[in-house]
Amino acid sequence: MKVLSFLFFAIVASSLCDAYRILVLFMVPGKSHGILGDGVVRHLLEAGHEVTYITPFPQKNPHPNLQQVDISKNAELMDEKMFDFKTILNNEAIFRNPIKMIQVMSGLFEATIQNPNVVKILNDTNQRFDAVISEWMFNDAYSGLATIFDCPFIWFSSIEPHWIILSLIDESTNPAYVPDSMSSIIPPFNFKERVSGLFAQLFGAALRFFYTDGIDGKQFYKIIGPYLTLRGKTIPSYYDVQYNTSLILGNSHVSLGQATRLPQNYKPIAGYHIKSDVEPLPEDLKKLLDNANNGLIYFSMGSNLKSKYLPDELKRGFLKIFRELKQTVLWKFEEPLPNLPKNVHIVQWAPQPSILAHPNCVLFITHGGLLSTTEAVHFGKPIIGIPVFGDQFTNIERAVNRGFAVKVTLSYEMVDELKSAIDEVLSNPKYKNRVRELSAIYHDRPVSPGKELVHWVEHVVRTRGALHLRSPALHVPFYQKFYLDLLGLIVVAIIVIVTVIKLVLRSKKKEDLTKKNK
Ligand SMILES: *[C@@H]1O[C@H](CO)[C@@H](O)[C@H](O)[C@H]1NC(C)=O
Ligand SMILES: *[C@@H]1O[C@H](CO)[C@@H](O)[C@H](O)[C@H]1NC(C)=O
């Protein structure tokens, strides 16, 4: 007995302090996605695990426990022009066409999984992983990677919890009070908003069921299948792979979005990518911020949208209003500009968290990407949002609704609007006060998001897939959830009863008639 309990403790102890081997995949060749992936990897490495990281942005001097798999070739798929201001201003962006977007995403899957550097790992039958973490990017077939290595699978979701990702582990959200992640409406909804939300979701679900699932499934059988055969495994059905997720790590938090009801295996960890001690500013920027006695306005349109594609009339207009400000303006811009006013400084690269952390930074003008709005709340800075595509509209709409942002519409005539927005946010203290309140809520958590990330990944590995966290709703068919079978039964019962009563009455009448006739 003693020996047994000793063995038991030895096994528990060894499984507790084991370093795990984790495969992390962030396939999108966009800088903000790279930052999110780097954050996940950093926390896992700091916790002592070994990480194999498939990334378009390999780091220069990697941690000794980090093996990087270079997929920088993915950048060739993402035309820089796709994120061009003019394309978007003129309404030509592909993001408005779901079929085209699905095609781009399935091209991204093929390019990633068939990249020679990735093939080397997948084709090596000695490779072993304890878990696979992959970013979710409109293609569920990545979950097949965990099937290859026979280990639990974890999705990383870069935006607010939305019905598609939740339907992979539980069920869709209710469009009567949860907006689509690509829409900017905020509950409570009126009748029209509820109905259009319902139809958008039904259309999306139909598109997935009749179109996307077929494409993704084919890719799974064709591209992932051979690696299963190589390992002597039978190829499971795509459905069993698609709905076998152990955990979703969500780059979301209730202080940033809305109070969405979440399943047990969805963990909101927004803010984990920000280091707990911000890195010190480079000497020149430090001096600039320290000396900005009237405050500094930080202007950045993110990493995807290059300011150099800004139409000339907008560049000139921005400089004209910045010149009139008493604040210092720090503009992240990719090329030098002639005739810069004294109070305007251009940087090609900006250490955003360190700038926002500085007490003299008073305002952040941003495109409203989720990383930027998260960092604004993290450091308690009010924003002016100029949303351009994707979830940026929702992020800014929510920030406006929560009272710490003013929205400016991207257009050729936006300069005056921007000027009055700057005046409003700088002169009215309500924006600053509100973002400080939200920042306090955001920071008030039982553990830091980075610790939580590591804990849940380890929990999934320790419990071999955390089956106990899975929602029973996942496999309950639609008609059972809505009790359509019961409804059917009631309808049949009513028909039967009515018919029986009718028959009885009719036969009684006949009886009466025959009695009378006698
Ligand atoms: C994968 O490995 C097998 C041997 O195990 C080899 O025959 C095959 O050529 C390899 N494929 C690739 C794409 O490297
Ligand atoms: C589903 O996940 C569990 C737990 O991670 C794993 O053991 C099983 O092999 C997976 N099944 C498929 C079909 O991927």
Side-chain angles (χ1 to χ4, degrees), residues 55-106:
T55 172
F57 306 102
Q59 298 157 21
K60 287 273 154 52
N61 300 306
H63 190 285
N65 286 343
L66 173 62
Q67 193 203 343
Q68 303 189 89
V69 181
D70 185 342
I71 50 165
S72 50
K73 250 176 79 183
N74 278 5
E76 292 164 15
L77 288 179
M78 293 277 160
D79 184 359
E80 209 176 71
K81 279 274 152 72
M82 231 154 81
F83 301 107
D84 172 6
F85 274 110
K86 280 184 200 138
T87 323
I88 294 157
L89 274 170
N90 299 333
N91 248 335
E92 299 158 1
I94 66 144
F95 303 98
R96 291 168 204 278
N97 180 342
I99 299 284
K100 225 168 173 178
M101 175 138 147
I102 290 164
Q103 284 166 355
V104 169
M105 294 312 163
S106 89

Coordinates of all heavy atoms in Angstrom, one line a residue, residues 55-106:
T55 N 5.5 30.4 -37.3 CA 5.2 31.9 -37.4 C 5.8 32.5 -38.6 O 6.9 32.2 -39.1 CB 5.8 32.6 -36.1 OG1 5.7 34.0 -36.3 CG2 7.3 32.3 -35.9
P56 N 5.1 33.5 -39.2 CA 5.7 34.3 -40.3 C 6.7 35.3 -39.8 O 7.4 35.9 -40.6 CB 4.5 35.1 -40.8 CG 3.2 34.6 -40.1 CD 3.7 33.9 -38.8
F57 N 6.9 35.5 -38.5 CA 7.8 36.5 -38.0 C 8.8 35.9 -37.0 O 8.8 36.1 -35.8 CB 7.0 37.6 -37.2 CG 6.0 38.2 -38.0 CD1 4.6 37.9 -37.8 CD2 6.3 39.2 -39.0 CE1 3.6 38.5 -38.6 CE2 5.3 39.8 -39.8 CZ 4.0 39.4 -39.5
P58 N 9.7 35.0 -37.5 CA 10.7 34.4 -36.6 C 11.5 35.4 -35.9 O 11.9 36.5 -36.5 CB 11.6 33.5 -37.5 CG 11.1 33.7 -38.9 CD 10.0 34.6 -38.9
Q59 N 11.8 35.2 -34.6 CA 12.6 36.2 -33.8 C 14.1 35.9 -34.0 O 14.5 34.8 -34.4 CB 12.3 36.0 -32.3 CG 10.9 36.3 -32.0 CD 10.4 35.6 -30.7 OE1 11.3 35.3 -29.8 NE2 9.1 35.5 -30.5
K60 N 14.9 37.0 -33.8 CA 16.3 36.9 -34.1 C 17.1 36.0 -33.1 O 17.7 35.1 -33.5 CB 16.9 38.4 -34.0 CG 16.6 39.2 -35.2 CD 17.5 39.0 -36.4 CE 16.8 39.4 -37.7 NZ 16.2 40.7 -37.7
N61 N 17.0 36.3 -31.8 CA 17.7 35.5 -30.8 C 16.7 34.7 -29.9 O 16.4 35.1 -28.9 CB 18.6 36.4 -29.9 CG 19.6 37.1 -30.8 OD1 20.3 36.6 -31.5 ND2 19.5 38.5 -30.6
P62 N 16.3 33.5 -30.5 CA 15.2 32.9 -29.7 C 15.7 32.2 -28.4 O 16.9 32.0 -28.2 CB 14.8 31.8 -30.7 CG 15.9 31.6 -31.6 CD 16.6 32.9 -31.7
H63 N 14.7 32.1 -27.5 CA 14.9 31.4 -26.2 C 15.4 30.0 -26.5 O 15.0 29.4 -27.5 CB 13.5 31.4 -25.6 CG 13.5 30.9 -24.2 ND1 13.6 29.6 -23.8 CD2 13.2 31.6 -23.0 CE1 13.5 29.5 -22.5 NE2 13.3 30.7 -22.0
P64 N 16.3 29.4 -25.6 CA 16.8 28.1 -25.9 C 15.7 27.0 -26.0 O 15.9 26.0 -26.7 CB 17.7 27.8 -24.7 CG 17.5 28.9 -23.8 CD 16.9 30.1 -24.5
N65 N 14.6 27.2 -25.4 CA 13.5 26.2 -25.5 C 12.5 26.4 -26.6 O 11.5 25.8 -26.6 CB 12.7 26.1 -24.2 CG 13.5 25.4 -23.1 OD1 14.5 24.7 -23.4 ND2 13.1 25.6 -21.8
L66 N 12.9 27.4 -27.5 CA 12.0 27.7 -28.6 C 12.5 27.2 -29.9 O 13.7 27.5 -30.2 CB 11.8 29.2 -28.6 CG 11.0 29.8 -29.8 CD1 9.6 29.2 -29.8 CD2 11.0 31.3 -29.8
Q67 N 11.7 26.4 -30.6 CA 12.1 26.1 -32.0 C 11.2 26.8 -32.9 O 9.9 26.7 -32.8 CB 12.0 24.6 -32.1 CG 12.7 24.1 -33.4 CD 12.1 22.8 -33.9 OE1 11.4 22.0 -33.2 NE2 12.4 22.5 -35.2
Q68 N 11.7 27.6 -33.8 CA 10.9 28.4 -34.7 C 10.7 27.7 -36.1 O 11.7 27.2 -36.6 CB 11.4 29.8 -34.9 CG 11.6 30.5 -33.5 CD 12.0 31.9 -33.7 OE1 11.1 32.8 -33.8 NE2 13.3 32.2 -33.7
V69 N 9.6 27.8 -36.6 CA 9.3 27.3 -38.0 C 8.9 28.4 -38.8 O 7.8 29.0 -38.6 CB 8.2 26.2 -37.9 CG1 8.0 25.6 -39.3 CG2 8.6 25.1 -36.9
D70 N 9.7 28.8 -39.8 CA 9.5 30.0 -40.5 C 8.5 29.8 -41.6 O 8.6 29.0 -42.6 CB 10.9 30.4 -41.2 CG 10.9 31.7 -41.9 OD1 9.8 32.2 -42.2 OD2 11.9 32.3 -42.1
I71 N 7.4 30.6 -41.6 CA 6.4 30.6 -42.7 C 6.3 32.0 -43.2 O 5.2 32.5 -43.5 CB 5.0 30.0 -42.2 CG1 4.5 30.6 -40.9 CG2 5.1 28.5 -42.1 CD1 3.1 30.4 -40.7
S72 N 7.4 32.7 -43.2 CA 7.3 34.1 -43.7 C 6.8 34.2 -45.2 O 6.4 35.3 -45.6 CB 8.6 34.8 -43.5 OG 9.7 34.1 -44.0
K73 N 6.9 33.1 -45.9 CA 6.4 33.1 -47.2 C 4.9 33.4 -47.3 O 4.4 33.8 -48.4 CB 6.6 31.7 -47.9 CG 7.7 31.7 -48.9 CD 8.0 30.3 -49.5 CE 7.0 29.8 -50.5 NZ 7.2 28.4 -50.9
N74 N 4.2 33.2 -46.2 CA 2.8 33.5 -46.2 C 2.5 35.0 -46.6 O 1.4 35.3 -47.0 CB 2.2 33.3 -44.8 CG 1.8 31.8 -44.7 OD1 2.1 31.0 -45.5 ND2 1.2 31.5 -43.5
A75 N 3.5 35.8 -46.3 CA 3.3 37.3 -46.6 C 3.0 37.5 -48.1 O 2.3 38.4 -48.4 CB 4.6 38.0 -46.2
E76 N 3.5 36.6 -49.0 CA 3.2 36.7 -50.4 C 1.7 36.7 -50.7 O 1.3 37.2 -51.7 CB 4.0 35.6 -51.2 CG 5.5 35.8 -51.2 CD 6.2 34.5 -51.6 OE1 5.5 33.6 -52.2 OE2 7.4 34.4 -51.3
L77 N 1.0 36.0 -49.8 CA -0.4 35.8 -50.0 C -1.2 37.1 -49.7 O -2.3 37.3 -50.3 CB -1.0 34.7 -49.1 CG -0.6 33.3 -49.4 CD1 -1.3 32.4 -48.4 CD2 -1.1 33.0 -50.8
M78 N -0.7 37.8 -48.8 CA -1.4 39.0 -48.3 C -0.8 40.2 -49.0 O 0.2 40.7 -48.7 CB -1.2 39.2 -46.8 CG -1.8 38.1 -46.0 SD -3.6 38.5 -45.8 CE -4.2 36.8 -45.4
D79 N -1.5 40.6 -50.1 CA -1.1 41.8 -50.8 C -1.2 43.0 -49.9 O -2.2 43.2 -49.2 CB -2.1 41.9 -52.0 CG -1.8 43.0 -52.9 OD1 -0.7 43.7 -52.6 OD2 -2.5 43.2 -53.9
E80 N -0.1 43.7 -49.9 CA -0.1 44.9 -49.0 C -1.3 45.9 -49.4 O -1.9 46.5 -48.6 CB 1.2 45.7 -49.1 CG 1.6 46.4 -47.9 CD 3.0 47.1 -48.0 OE1 3.1 48.0 -48.8 OE2 3.9 46.6 -47.4
K81 N -1.6 45.9 -50.7 CA -2.7 46.7 -51.2 C -4.0 46.4 -50.6 O -4.9 47.2 -50.6 CB -2.7 46.6 -52.7 CG -1.7 47.5 -53.4 CD -2.2 48.9 -53.5 CE -1.1 50.0 -53.5 NZ -0.3 50.1 -54.7
M82 N -4.1 45.1 -50.1 CA -5.4 44.7 -49.5 C -5.7 45.6 -48.3 O -6.9 45.7 -48.0 CB -5.2 43.2 -49.0 CG -6.3 42.3 -49.5 SD -5.7 40.6 -49.5 CE -5.9 40.2 -47.9
F83 N -4.7 46.1 -47.7 CA -4.9 46.9 -46.5 C -4.7 48.4 -46.9 O -4.4 49.2 -46.0 CB -4.0 46.5 -45.4 CG -4.1 45.1 -45.0 CD1 -3.2 44.2 -45.4 CD2 -5.2 44.7 -44.3 CE1 -3.3 42.8 -45.0 CE2 -5.4 43.4 -43.9 CZ -4.4 42.4 -44.3
D84 N -4.9 48.7 -48.1 CA -4.6 50.1 -48.6 C -5.8 51.0 -48.3 O -6.9 50.6 -48.5 CB -4.4 50.0 -50.1 CG -4.2 51.4 -50.7 OD1 -4.3 52.4 -50.0 OD2 -4.1 51.4 -52.0
F85 N -5.5 52.2 -47.8 CA -6.5 53.2 -47.5 C -7.4 53.5 -48.7 O -8.6 53.5 -48.5 CB -5.9 54.5 -47.0 CG -5.6 54.6 -45.6 CD1 -4.3 54.6 -45.2 CD2 -6.6 54.6 -44.6 CE1 -3.9 54.7 -43.9 CE2 -6.2 54.7 -43.3 CZ -4.9 54.7 -42.9
K86 N -6.8 53.6 -49.8 CA -7.6 54.1 -51.0 C -8.5 53.0 -51.4 O -9.7 53.3 -51.7 CB -6.6 54.4 -52.1 CG -6.1 55.8 -52.0 CD -5.2 56.2 -53.2 CE -4.3 57.3 -52.8 NZ -2.9 57.1 -53.3
T87 N -8.0 51.7 -51.4 CA -8.9 50.6 -51.7 C -10.1 50.6 -50.8 O -11.3 50.4 -51.3 CB -8.2 49.3 -51.5 OG1 -6.8 49.4 -51.9 CG2 -8.8 48.2 -52.3
I88 N -9.9 50.9 -49.5 CA -11.0 50.8 -48.6 C -11.9 52.0 -48.7 O -13.1 51.9 -48.7 CB -10.4 50.7 -47.1 CG1 -9.7 49.3 -47.0 CG2 -11.5 50.8 -46.1 CD1 -8.6 49.3 -45.9
L89 N -11.2 53.2 -48.9 CA -12.0 54.4 -49.1 C -13.0 54.2 -50.3 O -14.1 54.7 -50.3 CB -11.1 55.6 -49.3 CG -10.6 56.3 -48.1 CD1 -9.5 57.3 -48.5 CD2 -11.7 57.0 -47.4
N90 N -12.4 53.6 -51.3 CA -13.2 53.4 -52.5 C -14.1 52.2 -52.5 O -14.6 51.7 -53.5 CB -12.3 53.4 -53.8 CG -11.6 54.7 -53.9 OD1 -12.0 55.7 -53.4 ND2 -10.4 54.6 -54.5
N91 N -14.1 51.5 -51.3 CA -15.1 50.4 -51.1 C -14.8 49.2 -51.9 O -15.7 48.4 -52.3 CB -16.5 50.9 -51.5 CG -17.4 50.9 -50.3 OD1 -17.1 50.2 -49.3 ND2 -18.4 51.7 -50.3
E92 N -13.5 48.9 -52.2 CA -13.2 47.8 -53.0 C -12.6 46.6 -52.3 O -12.3 45.6 -52.8 CB -12.1 48.1 -54.1 CG -12.5 49.2 -55.0 CD -11.3 49.9 -55.6 OE1 -10.1 49.5 -55.3 OE2 -11.5 50.8 -56.4
A93 N -12.6 46.7 -50.9 CA -11.9 45.7 -50.1 C -12.5 44.4 -50.2 O -13.7 44.2 -50.4 CB -11.8 46.2 -48.7
I94 N -11.7 43.3 -50.2 CA -12.2 41.9 -50.3 C -13.0 41.6 -49.1 O -13.7 40.6 -49.1 CB -11.1 40.9 -50.5 CG1 -10.2 40.8 -49.2 CG2 -10.3 41.1 -51.7 CD1 -9.7 39.5 -48.9
F95 N -12.8 42.3 -48.0 CA -13.4 41.9 -46.7 C -14.9 42.0 -46.8 O -15.6 41.5 -46.0 CB -12.9 42.8 -45.6 CG -11.4 42.8 -45.5 CD1 -10.6 43.7 -46.0 CD2 -10.8 41.7 -44.9 CE1 -9.3 43.6 -46.0 CE2 -9.4 41.6 -44.8 CZ -8.7 42.6 -45.3
R96 N -15.4 42.7 -47.8 CA -16.9 42.8 -48.0 C -17.5 41.6 -48.7 O -18.7 41.4 -48.8 CB -17.2 44.1 -48.7 CG -16.9 45.2 -47.8 CD -17.0 46.5 -48.6 NE -16.2 47.5 -48.0 CZ -16.6 48.3 -47.0 NH1 -17.8 48.1 -46.5 NH2 -15.8 49.1 -46.4
N97 N -16.6 40.7 -49.2 CA -17.1 39.6 -50.0 C -16.8 38.3 -49.3 O -15.6 37.8 -49.3 CB -16.5 39.6 -51.4 CG -16.9 38.5 -52.3 OD1 -17.4 37.5 -51.8 ND2 -16.7 38.6 -53.6
P98 N -17.8 37.6 -48.7 CA -17.4 36.5 -47.8 C -16.9 35.3 -48.7 O -15.9 34.6 -48.2 CB -18.8 36.1 -47.2 CG -19.8 36.8 -48.0 CD -19.2 38.0 -48.6
I99 N -17.3 35.1 -49.9 CA -16.8 34.0 -50.7 C -15.3 34.2 -51.0 O -14.5 33.3 -50.8 CB -17.6 33.8 -52.0 CG1 -19.1 33.6 -51.8 CG2 -17.0 32.7 -52.9 CD1 -19.4 32.2 -51.3
K100 N -15.0 35.4 -51.3 CA -13.6 35.7 -51.6 C -12.7 35.5 -50.4 O -11.6 35.0 -50.4 CB -13.5 37.1 -52.1 CG -12.6 37.2 -53.3 CD -12.7 38.5 -54.0 CE -11.7 38.6 -55.1 NZ -11.8 39.9 -55.8
M101 N -13.3 36.0 -49.2 CA -12.5 35.9 -48.0 C -12.3 34.4 -47.6 O -11.2 34.0 -47.2 CB -13.4 36.5 -46.9 CG -12.8 36.4 -45.6 SD -12.9 37.9 -44.7 CE -13.1 37.3 -43.0
I102 N -13.3 33.5 -47.8 CA -13.1 32.1 -47.5 C -12.0 31.5 -48.4 O -11.2 30.7 -48.0 CB -14.5 31.4 -47.7 CG1 -15.4 31.8 -46.6 CG2 -14.3 29.9 -47.8 CD1 -16.9 31.4 -46.9
Q103 N -12.0 31.9 -49.7 CA -11.0 31.5 -50.6 C -9.6 31.9 -50.2 O -8.7 31.1 -50.2 CB -11.3 31.9 -52.0 CG -12.4 31.2 -52.7 CD -12.9 31.9 -54.0 OE1 -12.5 33.0 -54.3 NE2 -13.8 31.2 -54.6
V104 N -9.5 33.1 -49.7 CA -8.2 33.6 -49.2 C -7.7 32.8 -48.0 O -6.6 32.3 -47.9 CB -8.2 35.1 -48.8 CG1 -7.0 35.5 -48.1 CG2 -8.4 36.0 -50.1
M105 N -8.7 32.5 -47.1 CA -8.4 31.7 -45.9 C -8.0 30.3 -46.2 O -7.1 29.7 -45.6 CB -9.5 31.8 -44.9 CG -9.8 33.2 -44.4 SD -8.3 34.0 -43.8 CE -8.9 35.7 -43.7
S106 N -8.6 29.7 -47.2 CA -8.2 28.3 -47.5 C -6.9 28.3 -48.3 O -6.1 27.4 -48.1 CB -9.4 27.6 -48.2 OG -9.3 27.7 -49.6

